[in-house]
Amino acid sequence: MTDLPDRRLLLVHAHPDDESINNGATMARYAAEGAHVALVTCTLGERGEVIPPGLRHLAGPALGAHRRGELVAALRELGVEDVRLLGGAGRYGDSGMMGIPDNEDPDCFWQADLDEAAGSLAEVILELRPQVLVTYDDNGGYGHPDHIQAHRVAMRAVELADARGHRVQKVYWNRMPRSVAEAAFVRLQDELPGLPFAKTATVADLPGVVDDERITTTLDGGAYGAAKAAAMRAHVTQIDVAGSCFALSNELAQPLFTTEYYELVRGEARPGETDLFAGVTPEAS
């Protein structure tokens, strides 16, 4: 790909919807500012639980195809056009939640050969030459096997691309500061009587929650909150959005955050950093 903008951001996620929940405001902000924003999704989420009764007939490949359409619609809301499926559509199947027999399916992402999958992602890195990459921590945020594998693949792909001539200058993990999460759930509990959900989730249900001092970077996405909410609504099989909160298939309300938080794990963090591209050089390899 030629004539890419000076700023290039690559995000690596496990399933359709993860990108909008974790990074929707960030993606919309950088796309609006003219950066090249690209997403690699590792599976189509064929084993996801479907919320709307009218769509619960979808399962397996049919659900995956439907969720691929949801993904395209969500990215349209965020102003992002470059979305890739790792290894091509259907290459890696959804592994299901940790500890179930589906984890043993030889075609699922959890069983993927690490260097093969990372090699496919490294090709994307070498094509797009991103200065910044965003993915999960080593627990995948909350222990889902596909999220853990996405972390492993992303970190290994950064190494492989580096060895072949392109250095990703900054790598971030998705995070949520504990104090912010706790305060948000206090507010949400007060709002619950006016919401279509009977109960709230808890801080322990959120992915990537860490002590505040682990946070290196805070992205104010308030101007893009509506875009993030619209993107999440596009994932209709997986997310039920109601105002400033949402629920997954467990029907437990959780806050919809428009400020998004990160931990820099490769590169130099600047105190009070508010820009993922802080300190990057446009064409350094």
Side-chain angles (χ1 to χ4, degrees), residues 49 51 199 201 205 238 246-254:
E49 296 180 359
I51 295 174
K199 297 180 180 180
D205 295 317
Q238 305 299 304
F246 70 100
L248 303 174
S249 59
N250 59 15
E251 299 182 352
L252 299 176
Q254 55 181 292

mmCIF file of all heavy atoms in Angstrom, residues 49 51 199 201 205 238 246-254:
data_model
loop_
_atom_site.group_PDB
_atom_site.id
_atom_site.type_symbol
_atom_site.label_atom_id
_atom_site.label_comp_id
_atom_site.label_asym_id
_atom_site.label_seq_id
_atom_site.Cartn_x
_atom_site.Cartn_y
_atom_site.Cartn_z
ATOM 1 N N GLU A 49 -22.597 -15.762 21.914
ATOM 2 C CA GLU A 49 -24.000 -15.879 22.307
ATOM 3 C C GLU A 49 -24.785 -14.720 21.703
ATOM 4 O O GLU A 49 -24.370 -13.570 21.791
ATOM 5 C CB GLU A 49 -24.128 -15.876 23.827
ATOM 6 C CG GLU A 49 -23.453 -17.071 24.486
ATOM 7 C CD GLU A 49 -23.606 -17.049 25.999
ATOM 8 O OE1 GLU A 49 -24.219 -16.097 26.527
ATOM 9 O OE2 GLU A 49 -23.100 -17.978 26.648
ATOM 10 N N ILE A 51 -27.875 -12.121 21.332
ATOM 11 C CA ILE A 51 -28.836 -11.461 22.224
ATOM 12 C C ILE A 51 -30.255 -11.416 21.649
ATOM 13 O O ILE A 51 -31.189 -11.892 22.295
ATOM 14 C CB ILE A 51 -28.345 -10.041 22.578
ATOM 15 C CG1 ILE A 51 -27.044 -10.117 23.395
ATOM 16 C CG2 ILE A 51 -29.418 -9.275 23.347
ATOM 17 C CD1 ILE A 51 -26.403 -8.777 23.669
ATOM 18 N N LYS A 199 -29.738 -5.543 36.597
ATOM 19 C CA LYS A 199 -28.557 -5.554 37.452
ATOM 20 C C LYS A 199 -27.359 -4.979 36.702
ATOM 21 O O LYS A 199 -27.359 -4.898 35.476
ATOM 22 C CB LYS A 199 -28.234 -6.987 37.898
ATOM 23 C CG LYS A 199 -29.305 -7.656 38.742
ATOM 24 C CD LYS A 199 -28.873 -9.069 39.125
ATOM 25 C CE LYS A 199 -29.930 -9.763 39.973
ATOM 26 N NZ LYS A 199 -29.510 -11.151 40.343
ATOM 27 N N ALA A 201 -23.083 -5.171 36.090
ATOM 28 C CA ALA A 201 -21.886 -5.988 36.231
ATOM 29 C C ALA A 201 -21.080 -5.433 37.409
ATOM 30 O O ALA A 201 -21.559 -4.569 38.156
ATOM 31 C CB ALA A 201 -21.084 -5.958 34.940
ATOM 32 N N ASP A 205 -15.770 -7.675 36.341
ATOM 33 C CA ASP A 205 -16.214 -8.156 35.032
ATOM 34 C C ASP A 205 -15.566 -7.394 33.879
ATOM 35 O O ASP A 205 -15.656 -7.829 32.721
ATOM 36 C CB ASP A 205 -17.734 -8.013 34.907
ATOM 37 C CG ASP A 205 -18.479 -8.907 35.877
ATOM 38 O OD1 ASP A 205 -18.083 -10.082 36.024
ATOM 39 O OD2 ASP A 205 -19.458 -8.437 36.492
ATOM 40 N N GLN A 238 -24.450 -8.988 19.647
ATOM 41 C CA GLN A 238 -23.601 -9.123 20.825
ATOM 42 C C GLN A 238 -23.799 -8.055 21.896
ATOM 43 O O GLN A 238 -23.444 -8.285 23.057
ATOM 44 C CB GLN A 238 -22.119 -9.084 20.404
ATOM 45 C CG GLN A 238 -21.748 -10.113 19.364
ATOM 46 C CD GLN A 238 -21.966 -11.529 19.836
ATOM 47 O OE1 GLN A 238 -21.425 -11.931 20.861
ATOM 48 N NE2 GLN A 238 -22.777 -12.285 19.106
ATOM 49 N N PHE A 246 -24.222 -0.244 28.496
ATOM 50 C CA PHE A 246 -24.540 -1.332 27.581
ATOM 51 C C PHE A 246 -24.487 -2.639 28.349
ATOM 52 O O PHE A 246 -24.000 -2.711 29.483
ATOM 53 C CB PHE A 246 -23.565 -1.372 26.396
ATOM 54 C CG PHE A 246 -22.167 -1.800 26.752
ATOM 55 C CD1 PHE A 246 -21.741 -3.101 26.532
ATOM 56 C CD2 PHE A 246 -21.256 -0.892 27.292
ATOM 57 C CE1 PHE A 246 -20.449 -3.504 26.853
ATOM 58 C CE2 PHE A 246 -19.960 -1.283 27.627
ATOM 59 C CZ PHE A 246 -19.553 -2.583 27.402
ATOM 60 N N ALA A 247 -25.006 -3.682 27.729
ATOM 61 C CA ALA A 247 -24.922 -5.020 28.296
ATOM 62 C C ALA A 247 -24.587 -6.006 27.205
ATOM 63 O O ALA A 247 -24.932 -5.810 26.029
ATOM 64 C CB ALA A 247 -26.232 -5.407 28.978
ATOM 65 N N LEU A 248 -23.917 -7.068 27.597
ATOM 66 C CA LEU A 248 -23.642 -8.180 26.709
ATOM 67 C C LEU A 248 -24.735 -9.231 26.923
ATOM 68 O O LEU A 248 -25.793 -8.930 27.469
ATOM 69 C CB LEU A 248 -22.238 -8.723 26.994
ATOM 70 C CG LEU A 248 -21.109 -7.690 26.858
ATOM 71 C CD1 LEU A 248 -19.776 -8.283 27.305
ATOM 72 C CD2 LEU A 248 -21.021 -7.161 25.439
ATOM 73 N N SER A 249 -24.496 -10.462 26.532
ATOM 74 C CA SER A 249 -25.546 -11.477 26.614
ATOM 75 C C SER A 249 -25.921 -11.826 28.052
ATOM 76 O O SER A 249 -26.970 -12.415 28.291
ATOM 77 C CB SER A 249 -25.108 -12.744 25.877
ATOM 78 O OG SER A 249 -23.915 -13.262 26.441
ATOM 79 N N ASN A 250 -25.084 -11.428 29.024
ATOM 80 C CA ASN A 250 -25.411 -11.686 30.430
ATOM 81 C C ASN A 250 -26.432 -10.698 30.989
ATOM 82 O O ASN A 250 -26.861 -10.830 32.136
ATOM 83 C CB ASN A 250 -24.150 -11.683 31.294
ATOM 84 C CG ASN A 250 -23.382 -10.368 31.223
ATOM 85 O OD1 ASN A 250 -23.890 -9.357 30.765
ATOM 86 N ND2 ASN A 250 -22.144 -10.395 31.688
ATOM 87 N N GLU A 251 -26.792 -9.683 30.209
ATOM 88 C CA GLU A 251 -27.797 -8.679 30.574
ATOM 89 C C GLU A 251 -27.397 -7.859 31.790
ATOM 90 O O GLU A 251 -28.245 -7.279 32.477
ATOM 91 C CB GLU A 251 -29.165 -9.335 30.803
ATOM 92 C CG GLU A 251 -29.700 -10.051 29.562
ATOM 93 C CD GLU A 251 -31.074 -10.648 29.789
ATOM 94 O OE1 GLU A 251 -31.555 -10.644 30.938
ATOM 95 O OE2 GLU A 251 -31.671 -11.115 28.795
ATOM 96 N N LEU A 252 -26.109 -7.758 32.076
ATOM 97 C CA LEU A 252 -25.600 -6.960 33.191
ATOM 98 C C LEU A 252 -25.071 -5.637 32.654
ATOM 99 O O LEU A 252 -24.197 -5.613 31.780
ATOM 100 C CB LEU A 252 -24.492 -7.708 33.929
ATOM 101 C CG LEU A 252 -24.895 -9.040 34.567
ATOM 102 C CD1 LEU A 252 -23.680 -9.718 35.181
ATOM 103 C CD2 LEU A 252 -25.997 -8.849 35.603
ATOM 104 N N ALA A 253 -25.602 -4.542 33.165
ATOM 105 C CA ALA A 253 -25.228 -3.226 32.667
ATOM 106 C C ALA A 253 -23.790 -2.884 33.052
ATOM 107 O O ALA A 253 -23.334 -3.186 34.159
ATOM 108 C CB ALA A 253 -26.173 -2.170 33.227
ATOM 109 N N GLN A 254 -23.085 -2.263 32.122
ATOM 110 C CA GLN A 254 -21.755 -1.739 32.417
ATOM 111 C C GLN A 254 -21.580 -0.408 31.708
ATOM 112 O O GLN A 254 -22.247 -0.129 30.706
ATOM 113 C CB GLN A 254 -20.665 -2.725 32.039
ATOM 114 C CG GLN A 254 -20.677 -3.225 30.616
ATOM 115 C CD GLN A 254 -19.548 -4.213 30.366
ATOM 116 O OE1 GLN A 254 -18.371 -3.861 30.369
ATOM 117 N NE2 GLN A 254 -19.915 -5.472 30.153
#
